[in-house]
Amino acid sequence: MSGAGIVSWGAYLPYWRLRRAAIAQVLGSGPGKGARAVASYDEDTTTLGVEAARRALAVATAAPQDLLFSTPAPGYLDKTSATVVHAALGLGRDCGAYDFSGAPRSAIGTLLMALSAAPQRRTLAVLSDLRTGLAGGSEERDTGDGGVAFLCGAEGAVAELIGRGAASDEFLDRWRVPGEPDSHVWEERFGEEMYVPLAREAFADALKSAGVTENDVDHAIVSGLHARAVKAVTAGLGVAAGTVSPDLTGSVGNLGAAQAGLALADVLERARPGQVVVVLTLADGADALVLRTTDALVETQVARRAAGVRTVAEQVAAGRDDLAYATFLTWRGQLHREPPRRPDPERPGAPIVRRSEGWKYAFAASTCSACGFRHMPPTRACLSCRAIDQMRSERLADVGGTVATFTIDHLAYSLSPPVIGVIVDFDGGGRYRCELTDARPDELSIGDRVAMTFRRIYTADGVHNYFWKARPEEGTTHGE
């Protein structure tokens, strides 16, 4: 093919895990083995995508020229969610931002579009999903939440697309009409009968297109929400033993539209140059991609470690699995609990948000060019030397900080009280008061290290209010 391909990648798994045993303990359903990744009450598919994209761009040498965002559960309809991701990443106005929503198959199509555009334009494909099912059902138990992102370009590719195959057919397997919160699934045996031949066709066509055979495959990924079909297809691939990518569903669940991307990210973090990777996805048909890793892979793996980007395996191991089932149901809107006795928040005004876009989305402070004093939020007048209009914008979303002090508010409006307010001293200067997420009050101490994360503060009148919160820095322990 073109020689262009994936330049960088990033994966994001939420901090929280729900043990399946916790579901079984309440509802008495199933053996309850393993856990699923759970997006927090202040996360949605947009914020999951932002966090994955930040990791993909952590070692990128050039910014994307286009951003493609795909999810079956968009935060908005009739409004582009990709522009929120674009703003949170601080990308330039000349970077296009486009949504590809609907069925999970849109995700693999989005990655294909990014790879196809790579010879001409650096394109960032962001794939995320937040899976919700009825209480006690397999969708709730076996799926998970998360996001992945792939920066595709012509220079520095770590994996080149060398072949692909596809097989499409119209049949009823999984569906959800607009307005419904949960998916419907047809009888599993029927889906298996439909998917297996489609997968074989796509897989054979992809190998032929790439000029390789089953014996040349070093890493094989098979993903799809139809677990029975995935198992049958995997058993019949004909690749060498040990080449099939490890199944992550037991520890984090099936991420739906992001599942294949998560497995691919995991493979890229373990692969060696010159290896053949096949990605086979089952969703309203079958798609197969054949990639070959390049010599640039090792350099990128080293750069990611140096930048502190956590691998998929590290994120899987770092998840906290003591989330209460009642809390999970509350976050998902299936358990309506008594709210704090405070007025509901008002929706943010469009003109105000537009005027503060650089601060609100990119978390850009202003630093005085005369004396170096950092202002948060940004201002025109320096509080230190009184200089006027001598400020430069400085993005602090990727700058760490230290907890100077904190408060616990049991009355503030929140889906997950109490609210933890922290004052953060940022590295290099600057102090700001914000909310702390992904933490428990009794485990927080002054001096703890924190990083910034993009979250949904609240939703009012159908308008999502996004901003940045602090979270415990990855790789640290609460209370140290």
Side-chain angles (χ1 to χ4, degrees):
M1 296 229 170
S2 66
I6 296 172
V7 174
S8 182
W9 69 93
Y12 173 70
L13 291 171
Y15 174 67
W16 298 102
R17 303 286 187 272
L18 175 65
R19 291 182 294 109
R20 296 184 178 99
I23 303 175
Q25 185 177 7
V26 175
L27 301 179
S29 58
K33 294 182 179 179
R36 60 158 290 168
V38 176
S40 183
Y41 71 97
D42 54 1
E43 294 184 293
D44 61 11
T45 53
T46 300
T47 66
L48 296 173
V50 168
E51 293 302 314
R54 291 176 67 192
R55 287 155 174 77
L57 297 179
V59 297
T61 57
Q65 296 167 295
D66 284 312
L67 187 155
L68 313 180
F69 177 55
S70 179
T71 177
Y76 283 115
L77 296 175
D78 220 8
K79 182 194 181 306
T80 304
S81 296
T83 54
V84 179
V85 180
H86 171 280
L89 297 176
L91 302 179
R93 289 168 65 96
D94 58 345
C95 175
Y98 311 96
D99 279 1
F100 295 85
S101 301
R105 196 178 192 184
S106 298
I108 197 68
T110 300
L111 179 55
L112 277 169
M113 290 188 67
L115 288 167
S116 299
Q120 288 78 38
R121 293 178 68 83
R122 291 183 305 279
T123 305
L124 180 64
V126 183
L127 322 173
S128 72
D129 208 344
L130 192 153
R131 308 299 306 179
T132 298
L134 294 176
S138 60
E139 184 85 354
E140 176 192 68
R141 181 186 65 245
D142 299 332
T143 59
D145 310 325
V148 290
F150 298 94
L151 179 62
C152 301
E155 298 180 1
V158 300
E160 300 173 350
L161 179 66
I162 61 173
R164 59 162 296 203
S168 300
D169 198 359
E170 165 56 21
F171 60 98
L172 197 61
D173 166 47
R174 171 182 295 270
W175 72 98
R176 173 169 55 90
V177 299
E180 286 189 311
D182 308 303
S183 296
H184 308 276
V185 181
W186 203 260
E187 198 272 328
E188 287 188 340
R189 185 171 52 186
F190 172 73
E192 180 183 0
E193 292 175 353
M194 298 301 301
Y195 276 124
V196 170
L198 290 169
R200 289 172 179 167
E201 292 174 27
F203 183 63
D205 289 347
L207 295 183
K208 182 178 179 181
S209 172
V212 299
T213 68
E214 293 89 341
N215 295 329
D216 299 316
V217 177
D218 298 289
H219 300 276
I221 297 167
V222 183
S223 73
L225 284 165
H226 198 297
R228 182 165 168 168
V230 168
K231 184 177 181 180
V233 169
T234 302
L237 278 184
V239 298
T243 61
V244 176
S245 181
D247 185 6
L248 300 175
T249 57
S251 52
V252 295
N254 190 317
L255 271 57
Q259 182 68 9
L262 181 72
L264 178 56
D266 179 54
V267 165
L268 292 175
E269 289 160 355
R270 298 181 288 105
R272 302 187 304 274
Q275 292 190 322
V276 174
V277 182
V278 177
V279 181
L280 178 59
T281 62
L282 313 180
D284 296 315
D287 293 277
L289 310 182
V290 184
L291 302 139
R292 178 177 283 120
T293 57
T294 72
D295 293 337
L297 179 61
V298 173
E299 182 180 350
T300 301
Q301 290 171 336
V302 172
R304 285 168 55 84
R305 287 194 293 270
V309 180
R310 276 190 167 187
T311 65
V312 171
E314 289 170 338
Q315 292 186 64
V316 169
R320 181 163 185 165
D321 66 354
D322 61 349
L323 182 68
Y325 185 46
T327 301
F328 169 79
L329 292 176
T330 301
W331 290 357
R332 286 297 197 261
Q334 296 191 29
L335 181 61
H336 300 283
R337 299 168 66 176
E338 177 74 14
R341 292 187 174 149
R342 289 290 184 272
D344 290 349
E346 297 180 358
R347 72 178 182 184
I352 297 174
V353 171
R354 180 66 185 88
R355 287 195 296 268
S356 61
E357 179 181 351
W359 166 248
K360 180 174 176 57
Y361 291 105
F363 203 63
S366 61
T367 301
C368 180
S369 299
C371 69
F373 191 84
R374 185 182 280 170
H375 301 78
M376 304 174 68
T379 182
R380 292 176 55 195
C382 180
L383 297 177
S384 177
C385 71
R386 310 301 180 186
I388 305 295
D389 291 335
Q390 296 189 39
M391 300 292 176
R392 68 176 186 276
S393 180
E394 184 179 8
R395 178 179 165 87
L396 297 184
D398 301 319
V399 176
T402 303
V403 175
T405 188
F406 63 92
T407 59
I408 310 300
D409 191 338
H410 292 269
L411 297 178
Y413 180 89
S414 174
L415 270 181
S416 188
V419 172
I420 306 175
V422 293
I423 294 179
V424 178
D425 285 333
F426 284 83
D427 299 344
R431 171 175 281 196
Y432 189 67
R433 184 188 186 282
C434 61
E435 188 175 334
L436 183 75
T437 190
D438 291 351
R440 297 195 189 278
D442 58 349
E443 298 173 339
L444 180 63
S445 299
I446 292 175
D448 282 357
R449 294 287 299 172
V450 295
M452 302 307 293
T453 181
F454 191 68
R455 297 296 171 102
R456 187 183 65 197
I457 305 300
Y458 60 81
T459 299
D461 294 335
V463 178
H464 302 313
N465 187 24
Y466 294 103
F467 191 55
W468 295 82
K469 295 183 180 182
R471 60 167 173 79
E473 193 172 74
E474 292 180 345
T476 63
T477 302
H478 298 296
E480 288 186 344

